[in-house]
Amino acid sequence: MTSPEQTTAFAQEQKQHLRKTLGRFDIVLIVMSAVLSIEVLAQTAGFGAETFTWTLVLAVLFLVPYALIFAETGSTFIGEGGAYLWVRQAFGRPAGAIASILSWVTQPVWVGGSMAFLATETWNQFISPLATGSVGDWIFKIVFIWITVLAAILSLAKAKWLPTMGGLLKIIFVAFFLITTVIYAAQNGVQPLSFADFSPTLSGFLGLVPLLLFSYLGFEASNAASDEMKNPKRDIPVSIARSGIVSALCYLLPVLAMLLVLPQETITGIGGLLDAVQTVFTVYGPAGDAMVTLAAIMFVVILASQGAAWMIMSDRMQALTAADGSFFGGFFGKISRSLGTPVNVNLLSGTVATLFLIAAMQLSGDAGALFGVVLTISISTFLLSYLLIIPAAVKLRWQYPDLERPFKVGGGNVWFTMLGAVAFLWVLLGSWVAIFPGTLERLFGLEYDFIEIWGVPQGPFTALTVGTLVFLAALALVGYVRGRRIREAKPNLETHALMVSIDENLDTERA
């Protein structure tokens, strides 16, 4: 294959500091820790029983085609940087820079603007009171952010225990909650639900699509650290399949459990899951309160591990973007010789998360409203990145038909393109609804009270959402222009040749 796209000498130099430390077990649990977003379960369950219906529909009509596409792409086009490399190879560096910054910034915004709020509110409600806006409230949120950053800074061999532990804790947490819910239902009965309650509605569909897409996306993110995997070609498709199946079950069953034990009007995004836990844990009698406290501590640790997992993966992609001359210069592209991690980008993520925390704290409204607003901003940036990543995967299938594919979707290029089109249209719909909520509802004649739904006025909401996207577009443009010096220093290997050389080295090591 010949291509005008080349890697840079600086990227080649920095990638020599990476170390192969991730096996299949690590990859599966890190992906589970990052992608299984149990913190949004209550936000979705607030739409009632139709949440279960739409979660199942998207699992079949979106998750399956999306997982097939990236099981093939991720195991074929390996290399540190993941999705950035795919978009760059398909559409050029500027497009890769935009996709990378949209995907990367989602994580510090999510950690600083939503997860820190959820962790603090969990601590406040179930463990020890923390008054909103107090010194303790600020300290807790800031410490939470920088714990996730520290985990990303430490060498992967040492730091991977936090996200892998988080992946295990999520499965244990959900499993114990479901078992307890069955016991509770046997003793106390459940909320009256009929088949009619599960009937899908247009308003529920438009409200749930962005949330569910956000929950299902990200299984290919581990590719950002593929040069640190022992056998990425073998392990990436397996990790996507396993984590995808487990995640779908861990969304469907807890949502159903919450609906069975809590009235719909009491389910809130900021505390609904723990409220359900508190309700069903009454079956343990006097020990119930202590078990709820333990579950709350476990939940806070899960949130920290999820933030750490995303920081580890997204920061590596952004560091490779910088080392490749698409995000400012060499400063953000440096990989620590001693740690094998992108420390400068890690610190940048922590700074962005802290700044977004400060910005979110200035919004009027309660903690639940702030959680929903910042969640939507995170959703919008994340979904928009896939409007480039999915077409890139499709183009690479057509552009390089002769490449060996450890996992290949059957049906030929046309079928692969159809799967990509389905996934793309879902993401396009979700992106619009996340950025401009209420517009499609009003178009179809549905009533939409913005303040009642979001808890904040539409003006500040739109200003924060659109303002964030405009700022990111400007940052990506400036970063690309400033990376010119790095881009000019190119080695002789083209991107595809580099990938082939990596594959040959891996085969030699295994032999």
Side-chain angles (χ1 to χ4, degrees):
M1 180 195 77
T2 59
S3 169
E5 290 294 334
Q6 295 178 323
T7 188
T8 66
F10 186 71
Q12 284 283 77
E13 174 190 345
Q14 296 304 308
K15 287 168 70 173
Q16 294 176 8
H17 306 321
L18 300 173
R19 302 161 188 173
K20 296 186 182 297
T21 59
L22 296 176
R24 180 180 294 182
F25 180 79
D26 301 318
I27 298 168
V28 171
L29 287 178
I30 288 176
V31 171
M32 286 291 301
S33 180
V35 180
L36 178 51
S37 303
I38 62 173
E39 73 280 1
V40 303
L41 287 173
Q43 194 83 5
T44 58
F47 285 84
E50 67 175 304
T51 298
F52 183 88
T53 304
W54 287 121
T55 303
L56 182 59
V57 168
L58 262 74
V60 175
L61 298 183
F62 172 76
L63 180 59
V64 171
Y66 156 75
L68 288 172
I69 290 168
F70 288 105
E72 175 178 318
T73 304
S75 59
T76 303
F77 298 91
I78 62 168
E80 197 81 359
Y84 165 75
L85 288 182
W86 307 335
V87 178
R88 186 196 72 172
Q89 188 68 18
F91 304 121
R93 276 191 175 88
I98 293 173
S100 180
I101 200 169
L102 286 170
S103 181
W104 161 73
V105 82
T106 298
Q107 314 322 325
V109 168
W110 178 226
V111 170
S114 283
M115 296 183 78
F117 280 82
L118 181 55
T120 306
E121 187 64 19
T122 300
W123 191 275
N124 172 54
Q125 184 175 347
F126 297 99
I127 301 172
S128 179
L130 284 172
T132 302
S134 66
V135 173
D137 181 35
W138 278 96
I139 291 175
F140 187 94
K141 290 184 171 86
I142 291 172
V143 169
F144 177 89
I145 289 170
W146 286 93
I147 285 175
T148 68
V149 175
L150 179 62
I153 288 175
L154 295 175
S155 65
L156 195 53
K158 296 178 181 178
K160 66 182 181 181
W161 68 267
L162 180 57
T164 53
M165 179 184 69
L168 284 172
L169 285 179
K170 282 185 179 182
I171 297 172
I172 294 170
F173 182 97
V174 170
F176 194 70
F177 170 59
L178 292 175
I179 292 170
T180 308
T181 300
V182 172
I183 299 172
Y184 177 89
Q187 294 181 1
N188 301 281
V190 296
Q191 293 293 316
L193 291 176
S194 66
F195 283 111
D197 295 322
F198 291 88
S199 299
T201 66
L202 179 58
S203 59
F205 171 70
L206 293 175
L208 282 165
V209 164
L211 289 166
L212 294 175
L213 291 176
F214 183 74
S215 299
Y216 282 143
L217 285 167
F219 291 105
E220 82 295 337
S222 62
N223 269 87
S226 57
D227 283 358
E228 298 166 83
M229 298 177 184
K230 297 175 181 177
N231 194 336
K233 285 186 172 293
R234 180 197 64 186
D235 294 339
I236 286 173
V238 174
S239 68
I240 289 177
R242 291 180 180 176
S243 54
I245 293 170
V246 173
S247 293
L249 292 175
C250 286
Y251 289 130
L252 286 165
L253 298 180
V255 164
L256 182 61
M258 279 189 285
L259 293 169
L260 290 173
V261 300
L262 290 177
Q264 178 183 341
E265 61 272 12
T266 68
I267 302 176
T268 64
I270 197 74
L273 180 58
L274 269 297
D275 288 336
V277 168
Q278 190 173 40
T279 297
V280 300
F281 276 23
T282 55
V283 302
Y284 299 117
D289 290 341
M291 294 179 68
V292 169
T293 301
L294 180 61
I297 294 172
M298 194 181 206
F299 189 67
V300 172
V301 173
I302 286 172
L303 293 177
S305 69
Q306 182 170 340
W310 273 120
M311 290 284 191
I312 287 171
M313 293 186 292
S314 64
D315 285 2
R316 278 162 166 75
M317 179 176 64
Q318 195 62 19
L320 192 282
T321 303
D324 199 52
S326 297
F327 184 68
F328 294 93
F331 180 78
F332 291 120
K334 288 183 178 178
I335 305 294
S336 169
R337 289 178 178 270
S338 58
L339 299 172
T341 59
V343 175
N344 293 340
V345 173
N346 297 150
L347 295 174
L348 176 63
S349 291
T351 301
V352 171
T354 304
L355 291 174
F356 215 88
L357 166 66
I358 295 171
M361 291 287 281
Q362 308 313 306
L363 289 174
S364 59
D366 60 21
L370 298 180
F371 174 79
V373 170
V374 181
L375 171 59
T376 300
I377 294 172
S378 303
I379 289 172
S380 66
T381 57
F382 199 47
L383 293 186
L384 285 173
S385 69
Y386 282 91
L387 296 181
L388 287 167
I389 296 171
I390 293 172
V394 173
K395 184 176 180 182
L396 292 175
R397 174 70 181 264
W398 286 88
Q399 193 171 359
Y400 307 115
D402 297 328
L403 279 183
E404 178 189 356
R405 286 168 163 79
F407 172 84
K408 186 173 183 178
V409 178
N413 290 353
V414 173
W415 175 244
F416 191 89
T417 303
M418 291 175 62
L419 293 177
V422 169
F424 180 87
L425 290 174
W426 278 112
V427 172
L428 183 63
L429 173 64
S431 300
W432 179 270
V433 174
I435 299 170
F436 304 108
T439 54
L440 293 181
E441 286 85 349
R442 292 165 184 152
L443 178 65
F444 290 107
L446 300 175
E447 184 178 347
Y448 196 89
D449 189 325
F450 199 95
I451 293 182
E452 180 181 347
I453 292 172
W454 292 99
V456 297
Q458 186 169 6
F461 176 96
T462 304
L464 186 58
T465 303
V466 177
T468 299
L469 297 176
V470 171
F471 171 77
L472 290 175
L475 184 63
L477 177 61
V478 173
Y480 180 78
V481 172
R482 293 293 303 274
R484 179 180 177 182
R485 178 180 59 84
I486 299 295
R487 294 194 298 272
E488 289 176 345
K490 299 177 180 177
N492 294 324
L493 283 176
E494 294 185 352
T495 301
H496 176 57
L498 173 61
M499 292 178 182
V500 171
S501 69
I502 292 172
D503 296 344
E504 290 174 348
N505 289 337
L506 284 172
D507 292 338
T508 301
E509 290 175 7
R510 288 195 295 271

